[in-house]
Amino acid sequence: MTADYPSLNHGDRRGQRPELIVLHYTGMADAAAARARLCDSGAEVSAHWLICETGGTEALVPETRRAWHAGAGAWQGRGDVNSRSIGVEIANPGDRPFTAQQMDALTELLRGIMSRWHIGPASVIAHSDLAPGRKIDPGPRFDWQRLAHEGLALWPADGPDMPLASSLDAIGYPACSATERLSAFRLRFRPWANGSETVADRRRAAGAALLYQENAQPCPPIST
């Protein structure tokens, strides 16, 4: 694990503090290519952490600073996710499983971040969660159930057959088309599901809504 913070792509948190952790895949050929881009001042993108294919963990931006990883989007009614989050990039082109070494490194990293900033498992989210229709990472191959088993994310049991839209509102998905929200929800909680909305979608979403309500954390006040 390094701590020299090689990326200059960051700024002030605009009065906010980290209350979310956003997980990404890099979508690039390898960690070296991703590192080069995340540290390129012309690219105007960055993340706080990069996890390499073999599990090496690199600190690119101080956690106290605002990295540029989330882009446009919102979660649980709160925008400017960059100011409110810590971004973790995992080296993966998006077409293959994450390595066991990466998942081991991620669990260790998450425990540290969550302890430092008092962030609960309900606040560990996917890039696709906050940006439906725009982003799909970390994608359907990511092992959310393992993180949940270790207390580092949430994974629901099925609930009753309830209206999908109200459940997705309760979980925290931002307003957008019904198709985009369903796709984002499936990427996270029903990977590889496709087609029109089903009872299985509604039951899983209802279970997730209840779980998120039970694990809700009070949000710090929004600075004006």
Side-chain angles (χ1 to χ4, degrees):
M1 183 180 295
T2 63
D4 53 354
Y5 308 123
S7 180
L8 299 179
N9 300 342
H10 55 82
D12 183 80
R13 282 197 177 272
R14 303 175 178 177
Q16 306 301 326
R17 64 178 298 279
E19 59 191 64
L20 296 168
I21 301 171
V22 182
L23 304 184
H24 309 253
Y25 63 50
T26 58
M28 302 188 73
D30 54 31
R35 184 189 308 110
R37 180 167 177 79
L38 293 166
C39 296
D40 177 2
S41 59
E44 298 187 345
V45 295
S46 61
H48 297 92
W49 295 94
L50 172 64
I51 299 179
C52 302
E53 293 88 347
T54 57
T57 304
E58 303 180 13
L60 304 183
V61 170
E63 291 180 356
T64 55
R65 299 287 288 172
R66 180 183 187 271
W68 307 335
H69 61 96
W75 185 248
Q76 295 180 341
R78 301 171 74 79
D80 189 8
V81 176
N82 280 333
S83 292
R84 309 173 191 279
S85 66
I86 290 174
V88 179
E89 291 274 2
I90 308 168
N92 186 301
D95 61 357
R96 64 200 64 177
F98 296 81
T99 68
Q101 297 97 318
Q102 286 179 317
M103 293 304 297
D104 289 344
L106 178 61
T107 58
E108 180 181 356
L109 178 63
L110 287 176
R111 288 191 183 101
I113 297 171
M114 293 164 79
S115 176
R116 284 191 291 276
W117 295 101
H118 306 289
I119 295 172
S123 297
V124 179
I125 66 171
H127 197 189
S128 55
D129 287 333
L130 69 93
R134 188 174 68 84
K135 294 295 181 179
I136 62 170
D137 56 309
R141 296 174 179 84
F142 185 78
D143 193 354
W144 287 102
Q145 292 185 70
R146 171 178 171 173
L147 293 190
H149 180 72
E150 302 198 33
L152 304 173
L154 296 185
W155 187 267
D158 290 347
D161 186 356
M162 302 288 288
L164 183 62
S166 59
S167 294
L168 297 185
D169 288 343
I171 295 167
Y173 285 94
C176 58
S177 75
T179 299
E180 290 173 338
R181 290 221 298 177
L182 175 59
S183 295
F185 169 76
R186 283 174 166 172
L187 279 169
R188 175 69 185 274
F189 295 109
R190 296 197 67 230
W192 309 114
N194 53 48
S196 301
E197 175 190 318
T198 67
V199 171
D201 293 315
R202 294 193 294 272
R203 293 192 61 197
R204 183 64 52 84
L210 178 60
L211 189 59
Y212 273 79
Q213 290 165 356
E214 291 173 346
N215 286 271
Q217 285 184 282
C219 292
I222 299 175
S223 296
T224 57

